């Protein structure tokens, strides 16, 4: 971002802050329209006791304009309202639905009957919280009335702010559901095409067509998995359920592993990875660190056209730094401060393909902070590319490079409990292809029979079983086997998992092979 853009962005934000501050000050002032000097002195004395800010107005039209600009309460005398109640009511009727302006009226017992009747009519039908004080009014009584009026107004502001947040949440929900529908349809559409081609071709399917179809299905399933992982992680962050399994890990290995996910997209762009010769060790959760880097890369590929330049670099100094730079669409200076907010997306339709759910950068920010680091975004403006930088504390002690084991020391005895037969059999086949002994149960009762007959190292339980819920199955296994219970993993399609205490881990459908390999390596 150049100096002119920085100045413009800072000026814009300062102007908004000043406008918001002026509005807040106006919202808490007491408008005063009284007829003589004695009432004015009374108002000042009471305001000092109530710590209230007064603003004196000359007539009803100025009072009406001031109410429209913002007011905490109004203090009026009956003498000035003889001809102004109708106009005042018109102004009050145009208030927002949450608003009923507190109005204190000073009146005398010998006031005309018509004036008192007009006040009663005004109280009945105007959108107002009216308080009538009979003269002579002690300053302490008026001060109490002012405090009560302003307290009532503050409650109204709380309702206003709550309604604003709810309206924003509803808009975000609708926007999110629309984006989710779009994002889910794209990969499902591709998988559907492959399924139709395979179905029509039958035995005539050539080997290269089979490989192509498998690559399409795998790529689209990885995309679906990332979307669903983001949903689950947002729910976990909101509930404070993110737990880091921190180890000393080489940030270079995280970067290389993350790049593999985007290999097809990287081949269509000028992409390069730069890492130093020596390890860059940080203490963190390898899975979560990978998620951070993948979110930044996904954003870069999304907003950089084919042929564009993307660079991923890892370096170290006083701290570990990872940067992702591109020469793509760039970011408007005015929206740079908001790019890490959940569901935020640039309104300009320049994304290359899918725009996602607006959760990737928000999760990268949350996960970076959980690791004790910080993340920042920079851009010289639209069309000038962008740079994202993650800074993390270096690990205190060196260790060997963390790698996901590709082979397992022993054959594991596994049980898959899943009522969807296709899913259960497919997962069992994947586990068998990795060299393990696998049994399958399609309901909770059958699963308990398997547990009684055989010993298992790991049990994968679908939460939504038809007869006995997955959580109850896990609880029965723990009660029955105690300390000898196998590792229990919940298989779920829910964004917010249930009882986290009964399971050792949660897997969100659809499950990827790399997730299965990491799971088995931990047994």
């Amino acid at each position: 971002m150049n100096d002119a853009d920085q100045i413009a962005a800072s000026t814009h934000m300062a102007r908004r802050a000043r406008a918001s501050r002026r509005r807040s000050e106006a919202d808490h002032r007491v408008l005063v329209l009284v007829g003589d000097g004695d009432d004015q002195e009374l108002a000042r004395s009471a305001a000092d006791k109530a710590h209230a800010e007064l603003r004196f107005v000359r007539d009803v039209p100025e009072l009406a304009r001031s109410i429209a600009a913002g007011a905490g309460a109004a203090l009026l005398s009956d003498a000035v309202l003889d001809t102004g109640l109708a106009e005042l009511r018109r102004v009050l009727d145009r208030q927002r639905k949450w608003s009923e302006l507190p109005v204190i009226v000073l009146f005398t017992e010998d006031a005309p009957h018509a004036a008192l009747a007009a006040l009663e009519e005004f109280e009945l039908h105007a959108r107002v919280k009216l308080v009538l004080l009979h003269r002579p009014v002690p300053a302490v009584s008026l001060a109490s009335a002012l405090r009560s009026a302003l307290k009532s107004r503050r409650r109204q502001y709380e309702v206003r702010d709550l309604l604003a947040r709810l309206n924003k949440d509803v808009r975000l929900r609708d926007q999110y559901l629309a984006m989710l529908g779009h994002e889910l349809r794209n990969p499902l559409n591709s998988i559907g095409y492959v399924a139709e081609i395979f179905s029509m071709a039958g035995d005539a399917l050539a080997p290269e067509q089979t490989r192509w179809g498998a690559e399409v299905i795998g790529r689209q399933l990885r995309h679906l998995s990332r979307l669903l992982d983001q949903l689950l992680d947002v729910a976990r962050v909101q509930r404070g359920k993110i737990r880091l399994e921190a180890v000393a890990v080489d940030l270079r290995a995280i970067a290389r592993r993350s790049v593999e996910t985007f290999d097809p997209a990287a081949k269509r762009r000028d992409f390069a990875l730069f890492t130093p010769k020596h390890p860059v060790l940080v203490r963190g959760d390898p899975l979560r660190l990978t998620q951070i880097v993948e979110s930044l890369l996904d954003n870069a590929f999304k907003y950089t056209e084919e042929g564009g330049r993307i660079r991923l670099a890892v370096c170290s100094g006083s701290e570990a730094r990872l940067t992702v730079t591109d020469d793509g669409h760039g970011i408007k200076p005015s929206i740079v401060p908001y790019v890490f907010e959940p569901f935020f997306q640039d309104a300009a339709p320049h994304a290359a393909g899918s725009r996602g759910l607006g959760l990737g950068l928000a999760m990268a920010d949350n996960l970076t902070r959980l690791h004790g680091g910080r993340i920042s975004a920079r851009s010289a403006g639209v069309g000038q590319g962008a740079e994202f930088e993650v800074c993390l504390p270096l690990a205190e002690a060196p260790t060997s490079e963390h790698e996901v084991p590709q082979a397992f020391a022993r054959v594991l005895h596994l049980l898959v409990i899943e009522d969807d037969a296709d899913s259960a059999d497919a997962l069992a086949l994947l586990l068998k292809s990795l060299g393990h002994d696998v049994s399958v149960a399609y309901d909770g009762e059958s699963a308990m029979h398997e547990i009684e007959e055989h010993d298992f190292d790991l049990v994968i339980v679908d939460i939504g079983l038809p007869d006995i819920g997955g959580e109850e199955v896990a609880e029965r296994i723990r009660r029955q086997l105690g300390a000898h219970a196998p590792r229990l993993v919940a298989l779920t399609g829910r964004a917010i998992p249930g009882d986290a205490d009964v399971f050792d881990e949660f897997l969100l459908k659809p499950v990827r092979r790399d997730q299965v390999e990491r799971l088995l390596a931990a047994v």
Side-chain angles (χ1 to χ4, degrees):
M1 187 184 300
N2 58 38
D3 292 342
D5 288 333
Q6 288 180 331
I7 292 172
S10 299
T11 302
H12 176 71
M13 294 180 67
R15 189 180 298 117
R16 288 183 58 184
R18 287 195 298 270
S20 177
R21 187 165 56 250
R22 286 195 298 270
R23 177 69 193 188
S24 178
E25 292 170 353
D27 282 348
H28 293 86
R29 65 190 176 179
V30 178
L31 304 175
V32 181
L33 177 57
V34 293
D36 57 44
D38 290 341
D39 283 345
Q40 291 181 7
E41 286 302 316
L42 174 64
R44 290 190 181 95
S45 176
D48 287 341
K49 298 179 183 299
H51 303 290
E53 178 189 351
L54 302 183
R55 180 175 178 227
F56 290 89
V57 296
R58 295 184 301 274
D59 51 31
V60 171
E62 184 180 357
L63 174 66
R65 292 192 299 272
S66 299
I67 290 173
L75 173 62
L76 315 174
S77 67
D78 55 354
V80 301
L81 289 177
D82 290 343
T83 59
L85 282 178
E87 182 175 356
L88 182 59
R89 179 176 172 183
R90 282 195 297 273
V91 173
L92 295 173
D93 285 346
R94 291 197 294 269
Q95 295 178 104
R96 302 273 185 169
K97 291 182 178 180
W98 55 265
S99 178
E100 283 190 347
L101 182 69
V103 175
I104 301 170
V105 178
L106 308 177
F107 75 99
T108 57
E109 192 171 349
D110 58 354
H113 178 73
L116 295 177
L119 279 174
E120 291 178 358
E121 177 73 12
F122 179 71
E123 182 178 18
L124 284 172
H125 299 290
R127 293 182 55 193
V128 66
K129 287 185 175 295
L130 192 64
V131 176
L132 300 177
L133 296 181
H134 182 270
R135 288 191 181 90
V137 180
V140 65
S141 298
L142 181 55
S144 177
L146 288 173
R147 281 192 292 267
S148 296
L150 292 174
K151 182 185 294 185
S152 172
R153 193 60 163 169
R154 282 194 295 271
R155 293 196 188 99
Q156 293 180 36
Y157 293 150
E158 290 172 359
V159 172
R160 175 198 64 187
D161 295 341
L162 176 60
L163 289 173
R165 287 195 299 272
L166 290 175
N167 287 333
K168 180 181 179 181
D169 289 345
V170 169
R171 288 194 302 271
L172 286 175
R173 181 206 63 191
D174 293 343
Q175 174 187 342
Y176 155 72
L177 289 175
M179 289 189 297
L180 179 61
H182 174 75
E183 292 298 323
L184 292 179
R185 283 183 185 278
N186 283 340
L188 290 174
N189 195 42
S190 299
I191 293 171
Y193 285 146
V194 173
E196 290 292 339
I197 292 171
F198 281 11
S199 176
M200 290 186 296
D203 295 337
L205 202 64
E208 60 271 16
Q209 291 177 306
T210 302
R211 287 194 298 271
W212 168 82
E215 289 173 358
V216 170
I217 292 173
R219 188 162 55 248
Q220 297 303 329
L221 282 176
R222 286 193 295 273
H223 178 58
L224 282 172
S225 295
R226 282 199 299 271
L227 292 176
L228 296 176
D229 285 344
Q230 287 179 351
L231 295 178
L232 179 59
D233 286 336
V234 166
R236 283 174 171 170
V237 167
Q238 290 176 342
R239 300 178 67 193
K241 295 295 185 180
I242 287 283
R243 291 181 295 181
L244 300 181
E245 297 182 7
V247 295
V249 57
D250 189 348
L251 200 55
R252 299 177 307 167
I254 297 295
R256 287 195 291 267
R257 190 178 308 137
S258 301
V259 168
E260 294 173 1
T261 304
F262 298 91
D263 185 57
K267 291 178 179 177
R268 298 192 297 272
R269 293 167 179 81
D270 177 12
F271 175 81
L273 169 64
F274 299 97
T275 60
K277 294 181 179 180
H278 301 290
V280 180
L281 297 172
V282 298
R283 187 160 187 81
D285 186 322
L287 179 62
R288 298 303 180 183
L289 290 172
T290 302
Q291 187 175 350
I292 294 170
V293 183
E294 287 184 351
S295 294
L296 299 184
L297 287 174
D298 181 59
N299 186 75
F301 283 112
K302 190 183 303 177
Y303 288 97
T304 303
E305 300 293 337
E306 292 190 9
R309 187 180 71 252
I310 299 175
R311 298 289 185 263
L312 170 60
V314 176
C315 63
S316 65
S318 60
E319 58 188 350
R321 291 199 305 276
L322 181 144
T323 58
V324 177
T325 59
D326 64 70
D327 63 355
H329 172 57
I331 310 172
K332 296 176 183 177
S334 59
I335 68 173
V336 168
Y338 308 106
V339 296
F340 296 109
E341 293 185 0
F343 304 111
F344 178 82
Q345 289 187 337
D346 187 354
H350 293 283
S354 167
R355 294 180 62 198
L357 301 178
L359 295 174
L361 293 180
M363 284 308 306
D365 179 45
N366 284 324
L367 293 174
T368 300
R369 286 189 281 109
L370 284 175
H371 281 84
R374 64 188 186 280
I375 188 170
S376 59
R378 290 181 288 274
S379 176
V382 175
Q384 302 299 312
E387 177 180 282
F388 288 83
E389 182 179 64
V390 174
C391 297
L392 296 166
L394 290 168
E396 295 181 0
T399 186
S400 60
E401 182 175 308
H402 178 89
E403 294 288 350
V404 177
Q406 300 301 316
F408 305 97
R410 61 190 177 93
V411 174
L412 300 175
H413 300 284
L414 313 174
L415 174 61
V416 174
I417 311 171
E418 162 72 274
D419 62 303
D420 186 307
D422 288 340
S423 295
D425 295 342
L427 179 55
L429 187 60
L430 172 61
L431 295 170
K432 289 177 181 178
S433 71
L434 294 173
H436 301 289
D437 178 57
V438 186
S439 299
V440 178
Y442 301 108
D443 56 60
E445 290 293 350
S446 300
M448 295 310 301
H449 179 73
E450 290 287 336
I451 292 291
E452 291 174 358
E453 296 292 325
H454 306 285
D455 294 327
F456 294 100
D457 299 298
L458 182 142
V459 176
I460 300 175
V461 188
D462 179 44
I463 288 182
L465 295 174
D467 55 344
I468 306 173
E471 292 180 6
E472 185 177 345
V473 169
E475 289 171 353
R476 288 189 184 184
I477 293 174
R478 291 206 183 278
R479 284 198 303 268
Q480 183 172 321
L481 300 181
H484 300 289
R487 186 171 177 83
L488 297 174
V489 177
L491 189 62
T492 177
R494 292 187 294 187
I496 301 178
D499 187 356
D501 294 331
V502 79
F503 292 107
D504 296 299
E505 192 167 344
F506 285 84
L507 285 179
L508 184 66
K509 300 177 183 178
V511 179
R512 304 190 306 271
R513 174 175 174 168
D514 62 318
Q515 291 176 305
V516 172
E517 289 176 338
R518 289 192 184 100
L519 178 68
L520 298 179
V523 178

